Amino acid sequence: MPLISLRLPLAVMLAGFSLAGCDREPRAPAQPQSTSAAAAGASGEAFAGRIDRSHKGAALPQATVTDPSGAKLAIESLKGKPVLINLWATWCAPCVKELPTLDALAAREAGKLAIVTVSQDMAQPEKVAATLHYSHLHPWLDPDNTLGFFYNSGELPTSVLYDAQGREVWRMVGAHDWTGTTEWAGTAPN
């Protein structure tokens, strides 16, 4: 089989993944949102994240992420305190829109909740570091999209809350305003 005949289906598949991967349009919320969660962002659109509890109890993935300097973080090593893993990308407008609210949550809950922002960008670690210029968020990279395939939400941003034992509590699929979130320890964000 010629190599050319394999390139076209692969290119079509990759284009489909990139188009489907970002939460571009607001949806009706799955449950009532707080005033801060329903507030319009900089683009004038409301945050449209929704809770998914269908994976409750699932263990932290066995994956390792790196940062632009080459430092590594084994996701499984995060057991011991609650952790919120956020998958995002520089090309995803809702992802970038929610980053300042994640930084505010990280500042407010420092020492009680670990927040791990993991870029799903496939290249340009310097662009990831430049976009994630917040003081409480670290630019972790997952260029092979290991976590994206593991969570299989089909949408960015996706944030997954784990309890201190490393068991999934819930997922937020789509952008969310994290500044008003106070009930992260086991319940849905308000």
Side-chain angles (χ1 to χ4, degrees):
M1 178 181 279
L3 183 58
I4 286 245
S5 66
L6 294 176
R7 286 185 182 164
L8 181 59
L10 180 61
V12 170
M13 183 175 72
L14 289 174
F17 282 141
S18 66
L19 290 174
C22 188
D23 176 24
R24 290 185 185 93
E25 295 183 34
R27 292 178 187 78
Q31 62 187 23
Q33 300 281 319
S34 70
T35 304
S36 64
S43 67
E45 296 177 12
F47 287 95
R50 62 198 176 283
I51 292 291
D52 175 358
R53 289 187 177 90
S54 65
H55 304 277
K56 186 175 181 170
L60 275 165
Q62 294 181 353
T64 300
V65 294
T66 59
D67 72 5
S69 71
K72 295 181 185 290
L73 172 66
I75 298 295
E76 237 185 351
S77 73
L78 298 170
K79 286 182 186 176
K81 73 172 148 182
V83 62
L84 182 70
I85 297 176
N86 173 264
L87 302 185
W88 71 286
T90 59
W91 45 263
C92 172
C95 299
V96 174
K97 179 178 150 182
E98 92 172 341
L99 287 174
T101 71
L102 277 167
D103 188 58
L105 178 64
R108 192 177 68 245
E109 301 298 333
K112 296 180 267 180
L113 174 69
I115 298 179
V116 180
T117 50
V118 183
S119 170
Q120 298 298 285
D121 287 86
M122 297 176 100
Q124 302 175 331
E126 60 284 343
K127 184 175 181 180
V128 172
T131 302
L132 197 71
H133 58 275
Y134 300 98
S135 58
H136 298 95
L137 303 176
H138 192 79
W140 294 108
L141 308 167
D142 181 24
D144 296 327
N145 293 324
T146 303
L147 292 174
F149 289 119
F150 178 83
Y151 292 125
N152 195 28
S153 76
E155 201 169 298
L156 290 177
T158 292
S159 298
V160 185
L161 177 68
Y162 290 91
D163 63 19
Q165 291 72 45
R167 297 289 173 197
E168 185 171 327
V169 178
W170 47 254
R171 295 176 185 194
M172 176 64 67
V173 181
H176 181 71
D177 181 352
W178 297 97
T179 55
T181 301
T182 57
E183 299 174 324
W184 52 264
T187 61
N190 56 5

